[in-house]
Structures are given as C-alpha cells and as structure tokens.
Amino acid sequence: SEAKAVFCVLGMTCAACAGSVEKAVKRLPGIREAVVDVLNNKAQVLFYPSFVNEETIRETIEDVGFEATLIQ
Ligand code: 9UX
C-alpha cells in the first residue's frame, strides 16, 4: 500500500529548484507522486514502501543539492 512522507527542504530559492527536486524524486522506483513547494520549503511524496523508503528519498533530495529533513 501507499505511504506519505513530508520533508523540510532548505536552500531552494526559485521554482526551478523545486522542479529539479521533483524530477529527481520522481525518477526513483516506487514513487506515486512528488510535490515540492518552494515557498514553504516542503516536499510531499507518496510512495510504495516495498520499493523505496524515506531515507532513500531524503538522500536523493540531498544529492540534488538541498538539505532535507523528514518531518512527517
Ligand atoms: Mo533557480 Mo535553484 O535559478 O538550484 S534553479 S536557484
């Protein structure tokens, strides 16, 4: 079944930052949806836990160049 994770993402300063985070997360296996809000420094991700987990998603966001913390 589906799970939801919300991350605080620091360092995004324009809409293209959010776009690159969304694109990278959506490339992972097991992602249902990723929505990144640059104004509120949030990334909300729906995923299938048998394919991917919160830590892999968090590290993927960091690999794009932003500090990410799981908040929910
Ligand atoms: Mo905007 Mo973000 O020009 O990494 S893309 S600041």
Side-chain angles (χ1 to χ4, degrees), residues 29-41:
I31 301 295
R32 168 78 192 277
E33 181 59 288
V35 177
V36 181
D37 180 351
V38 63
L39 295 179
N40 292 304
N41 299 310

Side-chain angles (χ1 to χ4, degrees), residues 1-9 18 20-37 41-49 51-62 68-72:
S1 62
E2 204 171 293
K4 177 174 142 178
V6 181
F7 301 87
C8 176
V9 183
S20 54
V21 170
E22 275 187 17
K23 191 172 162 186
V25 171
K26 285 175 171 173
R27 276 201 200 108
L28 290 167
I31 301 295
R32 168 78 192 277
E33 181 59 288
V35 177
V36 181
D37 180 351
N41 299 310
K42 295 274 165 55
Q44 189 170 287
V45 183
L46 299 177
F47 64 99
Y48 299 101
F51 292 91
V52 68
N53 59 42
E54 291 90 336
E55 183 56 14
T56 296
I57 298 167
R58 196 192 67 76
E59 285 170 358
T60 297
I61 297 170
E62 297 227 328
T69 310
L70 179 68
I71 55 176
Q72 178 182 143

Side-chain angles (χ1 to χ4, degrees), residues 11-18 20 64-66:
M12 299 188 295
T13 56
C14 84
C17 294
S20 54
V64 180
F66 304 104

